[in-house]
Structures are given as structure tokens and as C-alpha cells.
């Protein structure tokens, strides 16, 4: 029973390139969340998705960042034209179909993006 | 979501109980207390949660005061692998995974 799978674990990009981070939720989980942890800072919520729907993207930067969770395949967090400030660990989490109080998330190991 | 206050760091001897406090004096009636931890360079890990009754699972116990303004996470027999940052999070029933992680408590377990 695999947990939340994220890849790549480490990604190096030069300024101006695109970064694509992938997340496969736990089996049976239909809700996906992305969090970002900047160096020496806490975890910050970015976006909450269900299949083919963005439910809450209040934590996403307004430009260059996008997320999707298609009907088939993993969730993708896409960062266009990366800048050095995007260097961070990006964590994906998943949860089963929601119910009130359902904040029991299973996190992946994270994808560490370094922008040169 | 209610704000939480935790000590910046704590130490514990291996094999002893680790008691991690959390203040959440502005908690409202429908808000739950959640605990997560993050071991260095890993993803956060869910530990336990509760509303008003004390809770216990295979990892820890959660003691919530009667007025619900504070709580304590208890690791009954701490091991070196419990060294981590522990986050106390208070959130309502409709927040659906949108968690606010503060600075947490750095717990160091010593041999």
C-alpha cells in the first residue's frame, strides 16, 4: 500500500525554466493538497484539488504557478519562468473523500526545487 | 482558525515521556486540535487529533483541558527517532486540509 508518491525528489532548474512536480495520492484518496516550505520557514498551504477541480487556490502565487489534478494520472504543480525565490521543498498531501473535521493528511516525502 | 502558541524547543531523555504543551485560548466550539510532526527533511506526519475528549492511539496521547484552551501531546516513551518539529494546529471542521503550520516545537530526544 504505497503512500503519497512525489517525483522528482530533487529538481534543479535555471532561472527562466519551467518546473513540473508530480504527485500520486494514496490509493482511495481523492483529495490532493500542495504545500511549500521555503528555507528556514514553516509550511504554507498552496492549493487544494479534487479530480478535475481546483477547490481552493488561495495560497498560490498569482503568477507563474498552476496546479491540476486530471481525471487520469497524477496531480501536477507547474512553475513557469522559475526565479531563485522559488527554491523550496514542495510537499503534496492527500486525504480520503472529505467529511467535517477531516484534516488527517498523508504527506509525501517532498520535491526539493533548486533554482540556479 | 485559532492561533496556537508552543514553546520553541524542548529536550527529553530517551525512554522518558515527552510532554509537549500547546496554548489555543481563542479556540471556538467547532474547532479541533491536530498534532503533526516533521522529522528533518521528511514530509509532515499526522499524529493525533481531538475535539474535547482525551485521545490515545499507537503513537501518542492527547490531553485537552476542560475549557479547551490548551492541550498536551504525550509521547509515552520517547526514542531518538522522535526527534522532530511538532506542530499543534487548531482548525475548524470545514477547512478540509488547509492547515496553518506555525513554528512548532523542536523536540530533541537525548540518549
Amino acid at each position: 500500500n504505497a503512500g503519497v508518491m512525489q517525483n522528482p525528489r530533487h529538481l534543479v532548474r535555471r532561472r527562466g525554466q519551467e518546473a513540473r512536480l508530480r504527485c500520486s495520492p494514496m490509493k482511495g484518496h481523492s483529495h490532493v493538497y500542495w504545500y511549500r516550505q521555503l528555507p528556514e520557514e514553516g509550511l504554507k498551504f498552496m492549493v487544494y484539488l479534487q479530480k478535475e477541480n481546483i477547490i481552493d487556490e488561495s495560497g498560490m502565487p498569482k503568477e507563474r504557478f498552476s496546479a491540476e489534478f486530471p481525471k487520469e494520472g497524477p496531480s501536477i504543480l507547474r512553475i513557469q519562468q522559475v526565479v531563485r525565490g522559488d527554491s523550496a521543498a514542495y510537499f503534496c498531501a492527500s486525504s480520503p473523500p472529505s467529511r467535517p473535521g477531516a484534516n488527517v493528511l498523508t504527506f509525501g516525502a517532498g520535491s526539493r526545487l533548486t533554482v540556479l | 482558525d485559532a492561533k496556537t502558541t508552543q514553546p520553541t524547543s524542548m529536550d527529553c531523555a530517551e525512554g522518558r515521556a515527552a510532554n509537549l504543551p500547546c496554548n489555543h485560548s481563542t479556540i471556538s466550539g467547532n474547532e479541533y486540535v491536530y498534532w503533526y510532526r516533521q522529522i528533518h527533511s521528511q514530509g509532515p506526519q499526522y499524529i493525533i487529533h481531538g475535539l474535547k475528549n482525551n485521545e490515545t492511539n499507537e503513537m501518542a496521547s492527547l490531553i485537552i483541558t476542560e475549557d479547551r484552551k490548551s492541550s498536551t501531546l504525550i509521547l509515552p516513551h520517547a526514542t531518538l527517532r522522535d526527534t522532530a518539529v511538532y506542530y499543534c494546529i487548531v482548525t475548524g471542521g470545514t477547512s478540509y486540509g488547509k492547515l496553518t503550520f506555525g513554528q512548532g516545537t523542536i523536540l530533541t530526544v537525548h540518549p
Side-chain angles (χ1 to χ4, degrees):
Chain A
N1 184 16
V4 176
M5 304 302 293
Q6 290 189 247
N7 66 83
R9 293 292 311 278
H10 300 275
L11 182 63
V12 179
R13 286 286 179 266
R14 297 190 180 280
R15 281 179 296 171
Q17 292 185 318
E18 178 179 287
R20 284 191 180 220
L21 309 177
R22 290 175 291 278
C23 170
S24 295
M26 279 189 70
K27 188 175 181 180
H29 286 191
S30 55
H31 297 203
V32 166
Y33 314 84
W34 285 93
Y35 282 76
R36 177 167 70 172
Q37 188 167 34
L38 294 166
E40 307 304 323
E41 293 191 19
L43 288 141
K44 303 291 185 190
F45 167 83
M46 298 181 75
V47 63
Y48 161 38
L49 311 104
Q50 298 177 19
K51 286 284 187 181
E52 300 184 281
N53 282 303
I54 298 174
I55 307 302
D56 183 344
E57 57 180 347
S58 59
M60 287 277 273
K62 294 289 185 272
E63 298 177 348
R64 303 185 297 107
F65 284 71
S66 62
E68 62 176 7
F69 188 17
K71 186 176 180 182
E72 301 291 337
S75 175
I76 306 287
L77 180 67
R78 180 184 180 204
I79 311 171
Q80 296 177 287
Q81 299 175 312
V82 296
V83 301
R84 288 212 175 110
D86 297 332
S87 295
Y90 292 83
F91 292 97
C92 173
S94 70
S95 69
S98 59
R99 54 178 171 76
N103 287 296
V104 179
L105 306 186
T106 301
F107 282 83
S111 292
R112 280 151 185 83
L113 171 66
T114 301
V115 180
L116 301 178
Chain B
D1 296 341
K3 179 179 169 58
T4 61
T5 303
Q6 299 178 252
T8 302
S9 63
M10 294 183 65
D11 291 327
C12 177
E14 189 177 20
R16 304 298 294 268
N19 298 289
L20 292 89
C22 179
N23 286 322
H24 32 79
S25 58
T26 61
I27 192 171
S28 59
N30 67 342
E31 289 186 313
Y32 290 73
V33 180
Y34 285 79
W35 284 83
Y36 281 77
R37 72 180 182 184
Q38 186 175 25
I39 297 170
H40 182 61
S41 297
Q42 297 182 20
Q45 178 187 24
Y46 165 80
I47 301 173
I48 199 168
H49 76 283
L51 182 62
K52 54 184 177 181
N53 297 322
N54 298 337
E55 302 287 346
T56 295
N57 63 19
E58 65 280 2
M59 288 183 69
S61 295
L62 175 60
I63 308 298
I64 302 174
T65 58
E66 193 169 342
D67 62 8
R68 302 208 322 123
K69 293 184 177 181
S70 65
S71 60
T72 301
L73 177 75
I74 301 172
L75 307 178
H77 305 287
T79 71
L80 298 179
R81 285 180 290 185
D82 291 322
T83 292
V85 181
Y86 286 77
Y87 298 98
C88 170
I89 300 168
V90 171
T91 186
T94 58
S95 60
Y96 298 123
K98 184 178 178 180
L99 303 176
T100 300
F101 288 83
Q103 294 305 306
T105 295
I106 302 170
L107 174 68
T108 304
V109 181
H110 298 284

